[in-house]
Amino acid sequence: MNKLKIKKLRENAKIPFRATDGSAGMDLYACIDAPVTIEPHEIKLIPTGLAIELESSDYVAYLYARSGLAIKHGIAPANCVGVIDSDYRGEVCVGLLNATQSAFTIQPDERIAQMVIAPVILPEIEVVDELGDTCRGAGGFGSTGRN
């Protein structure tokens, strides 16, 4: 992918960028006029003021938590990972969940998530009567041990 087209929907929207050359994600910012408080166990939809255009359906934009907000403050995307499909042209917003017992306030222009652009594999679906065997088989959660 050579270009990610970004449209500012509001003048005060901040263009995302990678903090370091090694960063996979671009920081997204809260495009709000006043602080927004997220009460304990509440979800608030925070706008970024941006819309994006991916080159083709071969790409997707994923919205992930910022580790500082998630680990230090318990604030992370409510759906764990947001998915921005290649044909979506609306505003990119982040639904943030406060997983703590204390209110948390998002400030205008605060970094609220990170966006990672990734390739999409669109396989042909084949319905079968049997699947190949493996050592694990149907063993599920915890079946491979604790470590």
Side-chain angles (χ1 to χ4, degrees):
M1 181 164 163
N2 295 322
K3 290 194 181 183
L4 173 64
K5 294 181 181 178
I6 297 177
K7 179 181 178 181
K8 288 178 82 170
L9 302 175
R10 293 186 216 140
E11 192 171 319
N12 61 332
K14 293 184 78 167
I15 301 300
F17 72 95
R18 293 170 48 238
T20 68
D21 287 343
S23 297
M26 297 173 260
D27 288 332
L28 292 175
Y29 296 84
C31 187
I32 50 180
D33 296 323
V36 173
T37 298
I38 308 172
E39 296 297 332
H41 308 292
E42 183 179 40
I43 297 170
K44 287 275 178 90
L45 192 62
I46 308 296
T48 66
L50 303 171
I52 66 170
E53 180 180 336
L54 297 162
E55 275 185 3
S56 73
S57 61
D58 294 331
Y59 298 96
V60 65
Y62 292 118
L63 306 183
Y64 293 102
R66 291 198 63 253
S67 57
L69 275 182
I71 302 303
K72 295 177 185 174
H73 304 289
I75 305 297
N79 56 343
C80 297
V81 177
V83 176
I84 309 297
D85 295 310
S86 63
D87 57 353
Y88 178 68
R89 295 295 184 271
E91 183 172 14
V92 174
C93 295
V94 182
L96 291 177
L97 167 67
N98 180 349
T100 73
Q101 298 298 328
S102 303
F104 185 85
T105 301
I106 301 292
Q107 300 296 328
D109 296 330
E110 184 169 355
R111 295 178 295 165
I112 57 170
Q114 56 182 319
M115 179 171 63
V116 175
I117 308 302
V120 173
I121 297 171
L122 302 169
E124 179 182 328
I125 303 296
E126 178 183 359
V127 178
V128 297
D129 292 327
E130 297 291 329
L131 298 175
D133 289 330
T134 68
C135 293
R136 183 176 183 179
F141 302 102
S143 66
T144 62
R146 187 167 183 181
N147 295 332

